[in-house]
Amino acid sequence: MDNPEVKLVVLLLLSGVAWSATGGGGGGQTSASFNNNYEITWGYDHVLLLNGGAEVQLSFDASSGSGFASKLSYGSGLISISMKLSNKAYTGGLVTTLFMSSNTNNHDELDIEILGHDIGQPYTIQTNIFVNGVGGREQRITPWFDPSTDFHTYSILWNLRQVVFSIDNTPIRVFKNNQNIGVPYLTQPMQIITSLWNGDTWATDGGRSKMNYAYAPFDVQFEGFGINGCPVYNNDIQSCYSSQYWWNSPNYWQLSSTQQSAYDNVKRNYMNYNYCTDRSRYPTPPPECATQ
């Protein structure tokens, strides 16, 4: 079985623990209604509600991008949103984001950024992590699927032990709590945010492929607006690590053996950049790199 895509499918079928929106018992599940959980934050005339509000479409063109965000901030949980990316032949410079941010000066942030592509080239999916305002932890993969032909679910699991980025329940990034070796960890409640914006100074081919508005508008559809999260009202997230929330149980402290195999397959076959191995930026790898 030499085809990495076939290996990945088999690993997923064998997976014993799927981190899905159904969870594993305990509190935290909110309604799946967009209007209950989210609100449009900018580009109001570039947002459409489709299928009776079950889907939301964000658009980007020369006049504006658009975005929406959760009404509340959260201190732990599993956030998941399904997206179908723009199917235009050229999306150079376009950045589609799903991220969590504390929106503070020394912010915590968990990023999924899908970077636009040149003609005939695939999308790139970048993740990054900011703690106390410090980022520089980029990893990039080439997806094993075309994100513009169907909906795929992008997820971020966050608890006291680890952060796991996943696509369709396949882990693509793990960031452990390594405070014991001096690595800062997330301490601030974060809002869930999506957006379409122009990142052509860096996003595609290192900024060489610029935004081409002849292909606009660029439309991205979103669905799946339920939130498995611990809402925070007073900036104290300690209660969000309670065992009453299923994502804080021992099953979610580390990957299962099958999930680890799927994750290793992603790193081996689909990862094309890892800050941990970029010696031009980090002659000495950051300490967390030994455990990721």
Side-chain angles (χ1 to χ4, degrees):
M1 190 185 300
D2 295 325
N3 187 327
E5 294 187 19
V6 173
K7 288 181 179 178
L8 186 58
V9 170
V10 171
L11 288 169
L12 291 174
L13 291 174
L14 293 174
S15 179
V17 179
W19 292 346
S20 66
T22 57
Q29 175 70 50
T30 63
S31 165
S33 166
F34 175 84
N35 289 327
N36 282 350
N37 297 327
Y38 291 92
E39 58 190 358
I40 301 166
T41 51
W42 66 295
Y44 294 88
D45 60 348
H46 285 58
V47 181
L48 288 177
L49 299 184
L50 306 172
N51 297 333
E55 294 179 21
V56 172
Q57 177 177 283
L58 298 184
S59 294
F60 180 92
D61 60 23
S63 64
S64 182
S66 50
F68 62 84
S70 61
K71 295 179 178 179
L72 301 177
S73 293
Y74 298 87
S76 67
L78 173 67
I79 71 160
S80 297
I81 289 183
S82 296
M83 295 186 283
K84 182 165 67 172
L85 276 289
S86 173
N87 62 3
K88 297 298 176 67
Y90 181 90
T91 60
L94 181 69
V95 181
T96 304
T97 59
L98 168 64
F99 67 105
M100 302 188 72
S101 178
S102 63
N103 301 313
T104 54
N105 290 334
N106 294 319
H107 67 296
D108 288 352
E109 185 169 301
L110 302 171
D111 293 339
I112 298 175
E113 300 171 312
I114 308 179
L115 311 181
H117 60 83
D118 205 339
I119 294 174
Q121 300 300 312
Y123 276 97
T124 293
I125 298 175
Q126 174 172 284
T127 57
N128 198 3
I129 296 164
F130 288 77
V131 181
N132 294 330
V134 178
R137 300 180 175 94
E138 298 90 349
Q139 291 183 358
R140 301 186 194 111
I141 67 167
T142 301
W144 54 93
F145 56 91
D146 182 347
S148 70
T149 60
D150 204 351
F151 283 94
H152 294 271
T153 301
Y154 301 79
S155 304
I156 303 173
L157 171 81
W158 167 30
N159 59 34
L160 187 58
R161 302 301 184 103
Q162 64 177 356
V163 173
V164 181
F165 297 83
S166 301
I167 304 173
D168 296 332
N169 287 323
T170 302
I172 64 167
R173 174 83 182 264
V174 177
F175 183 76
K176 293 286 189 180
N177 184 340
N178 284 307
Q179 290 178 302
N180 61 318
I181 59 172
V183 179
Y185 195 66
L186 306 154
T187 60
Q188 303 176 64
M190 294 183 287
Q191 185 182 29
I192 306 163
I193 305 170
T194 72
S195 63
L196 301 187
W197 55 282
N198 182 353
D200 69 4
T201 60
W202 64 275
T204 307
D205 303 324
R208 293 184 294 274
S209 295
K210 299 299 184 180
M211 184 68 65
N212 186 340
Y213 292 105
Y215 290 90
F218 304 102
D219 301 326
V220 177
Q221 284 82 44
F222 298 79
E223 64 180 19
F225 302 112
I227 298 174
N228 285 270
C230 169
V232 176
Y233 301 97
N234 58 5
N235 289 325
D236 179 9
I237 69 170
Q238 290 306 308
S239 61
C240 289
Y241 298 134
S242 167
S243 59
Q244 71 172 302
Y245 298 113
W246 56 263
W247 53 83
N248 291 329
S249 70
N251 282 343
Y252 300 90
W253 291 357
Q254 60 187 7
L255 301 183
S256 70
S257 59
T258 305
Q259 288 171 322
Q260 185 66 52
S261 295
Y263 177 42
D264 290 341
N265 184 68
V266 169
K267 290 190 291 183
R268 183 170 55 250
N269 292 298
Y270 301 104
M271 185 174 290
N272 56 57
Y273 178 80
N274 184 355
Y275 76 107
C276 286
T277 59
D278 188 340
R279 293 296 174 265
S280 63
R281 293 178 65 194
Y282 300 103
T284 300
E288 71 267 18
C289 292
T291 65
Q292 300 307 314

